[in-house]
Amino acid sequence: MDFNELSATPAVVESFARTPDPRLREILGSLTRHLHDFVRDIEPTMEEWEAAIGFLTRTGHASTDTRQEFILLSDVLGVSMLVETINQRKSAGEGATDSTVLGPFHMVDSPQREFGDAIDLIGSGEPCVVTGRVVSVDGTPLPGAKVDVWQADDQGFYDVQQPGEQPQGNGRGLFETDGEGRFRFRTVVPAHYPIPTDGPVGGLLNATDRHPYRPAHIHFIAAAEGHQPVTTHVFVQDSPYLESDAVFAVKKSLVQEFTEVDDPERAAGYGVANPFRLANFDIVLQRS
């Protein structure tokens, strides 16, 4: 009955005591304790509290079917990578490919592609061939594994950012590995790019004097029956911002050389112009 700075936390925690789901009860209790400690630590003014509510409200309003501003906020605060890292430690096990953030531009349904198809539908930029295998931690190839890929173009934009300029599905593809667990696709070398700064998260970066750039990369989600799926990236070795990724997603194991190849015969075999870049990225999955 006497709500004050000392009684506030136990009162709110107690209000959740009859929550039927024990995990939800645990989460709400921990959230309340940490959030109240944070408020007591910084002692926000009413104006600051209102500004925080306004910021979160604008973040929700900025989210659409093709852009998730809350994921972007989680990314720049390092929360997305922290959640990924904790879950990989708990479930993926040693030897599996490192996981990274999903990012705000993933689409649930990537276009189905065949082995060796192009995901670049425009034809500009430096030609690139990406090859790899999906294998289990003991090295066993995984035929029929699903490999979902998506990337920015050579100017640093995803298709959903330029609906009038890029064809829908540009830079995206859903592949199935062959009998030896292999996948391959043609594309262009992606560019490094800034995360969207025209919303509340961009305002936060400006206010804290942080740059918005991500190093050049290609996203992957690999999944196979009986194995833990992984969400990951492959980063272009010579890209700027590898040491200061705006969303903290770079791991050394995921930085790969995109080798320059000047060989007309190999280029013709892959179906790309010469010269081109070649990258190999094997994905290792932990058994379920």
Side-chain angles (χ1 to χ4, degrees):
M1 294 177 63
D2 188 15
F3 191 95
N4 56 50
E5 291 181 35
L6 295 179
S7 68
T9 304
V12 177
V13 171
E14 176 61 25
S15 75
F16 297 126
R18 291 180 297 278
T19 303
D21 185 330
R23 178 60 172 167
L24 179 59
R25 184 169 62 248
E26 177 189 12
I27 291 171
L28 291 174
S30 180
L31 173 65
T32 299
R33 287 187 288 271
H34 285 283
L35 186 58
H36 284 206
D37 284 344
F38 169 74
V39 171
R40 279 188 286 263
D41 180 36
I42 65 168
E43 297 187 343
T45 65
M46 290 302 297
E47 289 77 12
E48 289 169 336
W49 179 81
E50 290 173 356
I53 296 298
F55 174 80
L56 294 175
T57 301
R58 293 193 302 277
T59 300
H61 289 166
S63 298
T64 68
D65 291 340
T66 57
R67 170 175 174 167
Q68 234 301 349
E69 193 79 358
F70 271 110
I71 290 179
L72 197 61
L73 177 60
S74 175
D75 290 348
V76 303
L77 294 177
V79 175
S80 300
M81 273 304 297
L82 184 58
V83 171
E84 284 284 353
T85 303
I86 289 171
N87 278 273
Q88 183 170 40
R89 184 254 300 164
K90 291 169 63 177
S91 64
E94 187 175 353
T97 295
D98 282 329
S99 62
T100 59
V101 297
L102 180 69
F105 295 118
H106 178 253
M107 296 176 65
V108 176
D109 297 316
S110 292
Q112 190 78 39
R113 313 279 192 199
E114 299 300 323
F115 186 90
D117 277 356
I119 64 171
D120 170 56
L121 307 179
I122 298 177
S124 62
E126 188 175 9
C128 179
V129 176
V130 178
T131 67
R133 293 192 308 156
V134 181
V135 300
S136 190
V137 286
D138 62 0
T140 304
L142 297 175
K146 302 295 185 182
V147 182
D148 189 2
V149 299
W150 68 103
Q151 67 169 80
D153 65 8
D154 62 307
Q155 301 300 310
F157 294 100
Y158 290 86
D159 58 342
V160 294
Q161 293 178 286
Q162 296 182 311
E165 300 178 42
Q166 293 192 44
Q168 185 176 2
N170 186 48
R172 302 179 188 271
L174 181 62
F175 295 87
E176 185 172 306
T177 58
D178 68 7
E180 297 180 20
R182 299 177 303 177
F183 63 88
R184 189 176 80 205
F185 59 91
R186 292 170 286 146
T187 184
V188 294
V189 179
H192 64 276
Y193 63 86
I195 62 174
T197 57
D198 57 342
V201 174
L204 175 64
L205 295 181
N206 289 334
T208 54
D209 196 26
R210 279 180 54 184
H211 76 71
Y213 287 95
R214 299 215 60 211
H217 59 272
I218 301 174
H219 295 265
F220 291 80
I221 297 177
E225 185 176 355
H227 291 74
Q228 296 281 354
V230 66
T231 299
T232 191
H233 294 28
V234 59
F235 293 93
V236 181
Q237 188 176 63
D238 55 0
S239 175
Y241 304 105
L242 285 171
E243 299 293 335
S244 60
D245 183 5
V247 305
F248 308 99
V250 177
K251 295 186 177 181
K252 291 181 180 179
S253 66
L254 304 178
V255 179
Q256 301 289 329
E257 183 176 2
F258 281 54
T259 307
E260 294 183 3
V261 179
D262 188 355
D263 185 331
E265 187 174 341
R266 290 185 72 187
Y270 286 128
V272 295
N274 189 66
F276 64 99
R277 295 262 209 127
L278 179 63
N280 185 77
F281 184 54
D282 290 343
I283 303 174
V284 182
L285 301 183
Q286 177 68 40
R287 294 187 182 277
S288 297

